[in-house]
Amino acid sequence: RSLAITLATLGENHPDTAVTYNSMGQTYHNKGDYDKALKFFSKSLAINLATVGKHHPHTLATYISMGQSYRSKGDHGKAIECNSKARAIHTKTLRRDGDLAGHAAQ
């Protein structure tokens, strides 16, 4: 229901829609339905890349979520790939004070 409202009010290509997809992915991950979780995470990632960019904390969080689902389903190669992308984003956006750039603004 939340997704339907988000889509109706903001559309498919909005950062908040990506957040909703990520939340749905987390729910399916917690239920153990990793394939369905990954479908939602993939939608979230595509929107994040198109709207907030590849170095944004939301994109970082989505890669971490995807890595967790891949690890949980035993696909360690994909998990490492996602975690490596997350680490690259973290390293690029790390500030001198140790916080992610822009993280406090969320």
Side-chain angles (χ1 to χ4, degrees), residues 44-99:
S44 177
L45 179 62
I47 295 167
N48 282 330
L49 290 172
T51 60
V52 298
K54 65 181 181 178
H55 297 117
H56 192 276
H58 288 177
T59 306
L60 166 68
T62 302
Y63 277 125
I64 290 170
S65 296
M66 292 176 81
Q68 290 170 340
S69 285
Y70 279 122
R71 185 184 67 236
S72 293
K73 69 181 270 182
D75 191 339
H76 299 289
K78 288 276 192 179
I80 290 169
E81 181 182 327
C82 290
N83 291 333
S84 294
K85 289 179 180 181
R87 175 139 175 99
I89 295 167
H90 183 266
T91 300
K92 178 128 179 114
T93 59
L94 191 66
R95 284 200 203 154
R96 294 166 110 191
D97 63 6
D99 248 344

Side-chain angles (χ1 to χ4, degrees), residues 5-62:
I5 294 168
T6 302
L7 289 171
T9 57
L10 302 175
E12 179 73 24
N13 293 312
H14 191 280
D16 288 346
T17 304
V19 170
T20 301
Y21 280 131
N22 196 62
S23 294
M24 293 179 72
Q26 287 296 332
T27 300
Y28 282 105
H29 175 89
N30 292 340
K31 289 177 64 174
D33 191 343
Y34 307 119
D35 289 327
K36 198 158 194 172
L38 286 163
K39 287 179 185 179
F40 283 106
F41 292 144
S42 293
K43 288 182 179 188
S44 177
L45 179 62
I47 295 167
N48 282 330
L49 290 172
T51 60
V52 298
K54 65 181 181 178
H55 297 117
H56 192 276
H58 288 177
T59 306
L60 166 68
T62 302

